[in-house]
Amino acid sequence: MGRKILFVTTDQQRYDTLGCNGGLLARTPVVDGLAAGGIRFERAHPQSVVCMPSRSTMLTGQHPSTHGVWMNGVPLPVDAPSVADVLHGAGYRTALIGKAHFQPYLDPFLRFEENAISSDGEPAGGTHRGFEHLVTATHGPVGPLHYARWLAAEHPESIGGFYQVLDGSLQVNDAGGGETGAPQVAINPIDRGWYHTDWVADRTIAWLDSLPADDDWFCWMSFPDPHHPWDPPQSEVGRIDWRDVPLPAGYPGRPAERRRIIDGKPRHWRLWYDGELVSNYEAPARWVPASLTGDQLREVLARDAVECELIDEALGRVLAAVEQRGWGDDVDVIFTTDHGELGGDFGLLFKGPYHVDALMRLPLVWRPARSASAAPAVVSRPVGLVDLAPTFCAIAGVEPPGWMQGRPLPVTDGDADTRGFERVLTAWDSELFGVDVHLRTMMRDHWVCSVYRPGTSHDGTEGELYDLDDDPLQRVNLWADPERRALRDDLVADLEDHQPPVRSPRLLLEAPV
Amino acid sequence: MRSNRASVRRQLRIGRPAGEVWDLVGDPARLAEWFPGIVACDVDGTTRTITTGSGVPMPEQLLTIDPLQRRFQYRITAPLFTEHLGTIDVIDLDDGTSLVVYGTDADPATLALVIGGATGQALERLRTLLEGDQIATGPAPGPAAGRR
């Protein structure tokens, strides 16, 4: 009997929403406890700051350029490499419960396997991407996914309480709600037990209960929250009064200050802030960030924190079930998310081609199985989600396949230094409705360096350079600073030298998301 | 410009003569043979109603079926669309092969990508059918056929 793996992901969760990372709003004792007994990573970055590319990286252990899912709406081929396939081949029982999103959701033709399987039930007599059990959910009762079908069958009266994610034009909805009119906020009267967070945990527990005691297993428990919409069960919203929420350090209070900071960055920042250019589908197309008020931000952050608390409590229930099965000493738990959330930084919400800590610095906690006797540690060196798949292989005692581009996560800074964890890469590509944006970013030492390829708003000379030691909020773009020119050239050369192989032919964009 | 209209184009070269490609593309009743995710296709005069794999019926108006230009145009008239125009051109490349261009113009823009994104897969299926000399007799296979 080997080590079992509980891989827990959330969606669009900021680093600073966990108590163990200094967060003060949400109470997250379960993850904090895992961090105290395990390894907490201070510089874990995604390889893309949107869902489909990032999730594909977690599954394949490859950078977006290589697995080919270069933006949301580009489906990951069904025969793409999968760590679940590797583990299943090594004798592991495998499940993915919750949000998958390796293929687009907007699929009226039901031509994508993920949606078809969800519509039918689950993979019959085999596996899908290496998962023998696949139960899907997303941010509400939408699509053909298992959660939506369950809710429609069991509690149809609760469907109308969710925020309508898309508007009548199938654009991401900008309608405001709650008490402040904040975008993507709604008062959702749903019973807590019927909300997708607890639903995902319940299905995880049920699957684990179905396994023989001595089976090894890899379970990806994938919570759709705290991704917008911010419509947690209203019964829980009172945990945090939005009026008591302090405005975050990353939110410049005065509009003139926000504009001044943004104007130091490449021009698509300001164009989006003013509502003049929408470069991606992940934020409401008609919402103008400059209209965000402090109170709206407070209400969003309060609801976001409630969703983080519900996830923490749901994880606690799953861990209790694991203990009850007698597996407590043999389970590795890895907790992370696919990307961050702007969360008011620079006066912005949601996500997009903005490679700053709000979107790139992720919560990552690995609590190795107690039987492994690993010492608790904090790792400050840069790691990526691309390192997760090889880590799962290492836990399972399987040699990571050659197609994986990451390496097993370091367990200490010394281990990271020995194995050369010096830099982490992130890429953005989007081409939607005549607007394209392309950037490549590297975090190395205490620098974040982004280069822009030519696109709708850029001629290819633009860039961003931030000193995280002196400017942790990334307010001062040093790209054009003559005194940093040599450093910038060195970082850019290093970034370009380490670009991963590019899949050819390029996969096509097949849906908005 | 904050238009909510978008245009998506997909194209593919098929190693068969244009006339042969047109025989299939130009027959509105045979769409389900090559467009994945369409489970039914009923034609009544200039009206065609397709049913998608998710069970959504989509009424269409047939606008142009021109065998000389080998151009097929149709409009989805479902209420979700403010505007839609689908255009399929089969272009003779004079070497026994043809270029098939499938354009989707729609308002709202999102739907242009939802429909237009699927047309790429449809063209791939068309090429497989025609280059493989297969006789199409039923709906194009959706994901269910190949996933187990």
Side-chain angles (χ1 to χ4, degrees), chain A residues 124 190 193 239 275 366 377 432 452:
Chain A
I190 192 170
R239 294 165 178 236
W366 173 18
L432 190 68
Y452 284 71

Side-chain angles (χ1 to χ4, degrees), chain A residues 101-143:
Chain A
H101 208 189
F102 306 117
Q103 293 180 314
Y105 284 141
L106 278 179
D107 181 21
F109 299 104
L110 217 57
R111 62 197 179 94
F112 297 117
E113 289 79 0
E114 247 167 61
N115 300 324
I117 288 171
S118 301
S119 181
D120 289 351
E122 61 174 295
T127 62
H128 176 69
R129 301 191 191 278
F131 295 106
E132 63 185 83
H133 185 65
L134 181 68
V135 179
T136 53
T138 186
H139 312 293
V142 293

Side-chain angles (χ1 to χ4, degrees), chain A residues 344-426:
Chain A
D345 284 8
F346 314 104
L348 303 170
L349 283 178
F350 308 108
K351 55 190 180 282
Y354 311 99
H355 283 175
V356 288
D357 272 2
L359 298 183
M360 291 203 304
R361 191 183 191 189
L362 305 185
L364 174 60
V365 170
W366 173 18
R367 203 293 311 279
R370 292 197 287 264
S371 60
S373 303
V378 175
V379 172
S380 65
R381 304 297 189 261
V383 301
L385 298 184
V386 71
D387 298 317
L388 292 173
T391 302
F392 301 145
C393 290
I395 292 169
V398 177
E399 182 69 22
W403 41 261
M404 289 186 184
Q405 295 172 325
R407 294 165 290 173
L409 287 165
V411 294
T412 62
D413 272 345
D415 179 28
D417 292 342
T418 301
R419 294 197 285 129
F421 281 84
E422 291 178 69
R423 64 185 68 72
V424 62
L425 304 172
T426 303

Side-chain angles (χ1 to χ4, degrees), chain A residues 106 108-113 116-117 120 122 124 127 168-171 275-276 278 281 285-286 432-433 508-512, chain B residues 2 4 6 10 35-38 50 52-56 58 80 108-111 113-115 117-118 121 143-144 147-148:
Chain A
L106 278 179
F109 299 104
L110 217 57
R111 62 197 179 94
F112 297 117
E113 289 79 0
I117 288 171
D120 289 351
E122 61 174 295
T127 62
S169 300
L170 296 187
Q171 289 284 0
E276 293 177 11
V278 178
Y281 188 75
R286 296 183 184 85
L432 190 68
F433 306 143
L508 289 176
L509 175 66
E510 296 203 28
Chain B
R2 298 294 296 271
N4 197 28
R10 297 285 186 264
F35 202 115
I38 292 180
I50 64 160
T52 71
S54 61
V56 177
M58 231 183 261
L80 204 51
T110 309
L111 283 171
L113 188 49
V114 170
I115 303 297
Q121 198 179 2
R147 74 169 187 272
R148 288 171 182 167

